[in-house]
Amino acid sequence: MQEDSIAVIQAKLKAFAVERDWEQFHSPKNLAMALSIEAAELMEHFMWLDLTQSENLPEEKRRQAAHELADVFIYTLRLAERMGVDLIQTTYEKMAINAEKYPADKVRGSAKKYTEY
Ligand SMILES: [Mg+2]
């Protein structure tokens, strides 16, 4: 497993875009749209499968889905960089918010949204 930091990967992604003169297309709006489209491409690999099938993708299909997951990650990193969002700090912030919204003793075993508690 690679151990590059978020910042290192973001710098490589930015260099990739700069080399191709693609920064002009990478507005936050476009990156958010691209992120959503890649998420849909990921979902496509699971469409119409039952739960068991979704847990046991054939190797080639799993590899293709992994590439879509990487695309989601790539656009997430690019969007965070363009928005000036510190993804690690913000993720920890959101995890703290989620922990408050969903206290384990209150929600254990339930998939309800916090507004239903
Ligand atoms: Mg893709």
Side-chain angles (χ1 to χ4, degrees):
M1 183 173 172
Q2 295 279 330
E3 293 289 334
D4 283 352
S5 70
I6 296 284
V8 167
I9 300 170
Q10 282 176 318
K12 289 178 179 176
L13 292 171
K14 187 183 176 78
F16 181 94
V18 167
E19 281 168 14
R20 289 158 181 79
D21 194 22
W22 285 354
E23 282 284 274
Q24 59 180 316
F25 307 120
H26 287 185
S27 64
K29 176 196 77 76
N30 286 348
L31 290 169
M33 293 173 77
L35 171 55
S36 179
I37 289 164
E38 294 300 342
E41 289 178 3
L42 174 61
M43 285 191 291
E44 202 171 8
H45 289 285
F46 296 102
M47 192 164 66
W48 312 126
L49 300 184
D50 64 27
L51 295 180
T52 304
Q53 290 169 324
S54 76
E55 299 262 14
N56 301 289
L57 291 180
E59 187 48 37
E60 178 56 19
K61 193 94 170 147
R62 197 196 71 80
R63 196 182 64 83
Q64 291 170 358
H67 285 173
E68 299 307 342
L69 187 57
D71 281 340
V72 169
F73 189 54
I74 286 167
Y75 280 120
T76 299
L77 294 179
R78 278 256 69 202
L79 181 57
E81 187 248 314
R82 288 288 280 109
M83 291 176 65
V85 169
D86 180 327
L87 262 183
I88 301 291
Q89 181 194 324
T90 310
T91 298
Y92 281 125
E93 264 176 40
K94 191 59 172 67
M95 287 168 69
I97 291 167
N98 291 346
E100 251 179 61
K101 274 186 190 168
Y102 297 99
D105 59 337
K106 200 171 173 185
V107 305
R108 184 170 292 110
S110 170
K112 285 183 186 168
K113 192 174 177 180
Y114 71 95
T115 48
E116 297 178 56
Y117 290 102

